Amino acid sequence: MKTIAVTSGKGGVGKSSLSANVGVALAKMGYRPVIFDADLALANLEVVLGTRAEFSLQHVVAEEKGLKDVVATGPGGVGFVAGGSGVPTLMRSGPKRLAMFFEQVAGLSEAHDVVLYDTAAGLENRVLAFLKAADEVLLVVTPEPTSVTDAYATVKTLFRHKPDAVVRVVVNMAADAAEAKQVYDILSQITTDFLKKPLAFAGFVRRDAAVSDAARQRRPYVVGAPKSDAAKDTVKLAASLVESLELALAS
């Protein structure tokens, strides 16, 4: 089973929407993903998916349910775990309890082949716990200069705590492929020059009104607007993750 932490240096870059839509795209491709709402502040995965979960992580923290028992089903058959107040409680519970939680995550491999952690933005230790636990990190950045700056701060901190971290960059809200590549090149060059660490380019998603329309309608745009530019780009992004996923499943 592959674990991927989706994160960003700042809020407002469309991270949760991207996590949800990549997950749905993977499900439509025949994989068995589960999205874990690890955003301590917003915990809005249910809103993005437009599906209400009967149980959440809070039930796991309270030891009323096992993690596999709270996995709900969203659009396209994607699995998801609602976070809510359970995430901050879990992250305050200490390293032993946290280690037990990640053991339960590993137990999801019987029914799922990929876990997407939709983390909070920023550099809190509670966010780093998920980044360090993941097999790889999908770093969401936009063309805004502040987004690039904050993304660099995130990878700098991550590499300090996990020198062998695998980081893939996805440029969201790009005008086109050329702008996305330019943004990636800038971030990659800075990281190479100052940290001597490589970053991989995962792909990009164009700025598209279909994304905001889908948010208002509370449904993933890969379902509600599958022919939109954003949906096509997200499917390509999901496909770019498949190669490493296949390697993980084969090992």
Side-chain angles (χ1 to χ4, degrees):
M1 183 176 71
K2 188 83 170 180
T3 54
I4 302 172
V6 185
T7 194
S8 62
K10 60 173 289 187
V13 299
K15 174 185 54 58
S16 292
S17 175
L18 197 63
S19 298
N21 281 276
V22 167
V24 174
L26 285 170
K28 294 177 71 174
M29 293 167 65
Y31 292 94
R32 301 173 299 163
V34 57
I35 313 168
F36 182 85
D37 194 342
D39 192 327
L40 290 78
L42 298 178
N44 61 351
L45 185 60
E46 289 177 294
V47 175
V48 177
L49 291 173
T51 306
R52 187 74 177 175
E54 182 178 1
F55 304 107
S56 72
L57 183 62
Q58 184 63 42
H59 294 89
V60 179
V61 174
E63 299 183 354
E64 298 173 1
K65 296 283 184 180
L67 184 60
K68 65 181 180 180
D69 300 319
V70 303
V71 177
T73 302
V78 67
F80 73 96
V81 176
S85 59
V87 179
T89 303
L90 172 68
M91 302 311 289
R92 289 195 299 266
S93 61
K96 184 176 180 180
R97 188 86 175 270
L98 194 58
M100 292 174 62
F101 164 74
F102 283 118
E103 286 180 7
Q104 288 198 61
V105 172
L108 295 177
S109 61
E110 296 178 4
H112 302 279
D113 43 36
V114 57
V115 173
L116 295 168
Y117 294 124
D118 176 27
T119 76
L123 299 170
E124 283 192 0
N125 288 333
R126 293 177 289 183
V127 175
L128 282 170
F130 286 101
L131 303 189
K132 290 164 62 178
D135 294 321
E136 62 182 56
V137 173
L138 192 63
L139 181 64
V140 183
V141 62
T142 71
E144 294 183 10
T146 54
S147 177
V148 176
T149 301
D150 291 339
Y152 170 71
T154 297
V155 295
K156 180 180 180 180
T157 302
L158 173 60
F159 283 130
R160 185 186 306 134
H161 290 269
K162 187 179 181 180
D164 61 344
V166 176
V167 181
R168 299 175 185 270
V169 178
V170 54
V171 181
N172 198 22
M173 306 181 195
D176 50 32
E179 182 179 55
K181 189 62 166 58
Q182 182 182 41
V183 171
Y184 164 74
D185 287 343
I186 292 172
L187 179 58
S188 181
Q189 188 64 55
I190 295 172
T191 305
T192 301
D193 289 346
F194 292 97
L195 303 180
K196 311 302 180 187
K197 296 289 186 180
L199 298 178
F201 183 59
F204 68 95
V205 177
R206 283 168 285 182
R207 184 179 295 277
D208 192 334
V211 176
S212 55
D213 290 343
R216 285 192 293 271
Q217 296 169 11
R218 296 191 175 186
R219 63 179 178 180
Y221 54 80
V222 294
V223 174
K227 295 183 179 180
S228 65
D229 289 339
K232 293 176 183 177
D233 294 339
T234 300
V235 170
K236 289 181 182 179
L237 171 61
S240 77
L241 302 176
V242 166
E243 182 177 353
S244 62
L245 175 56
E246 291 288 355
L247 291 174
L249 295 177
S251 61

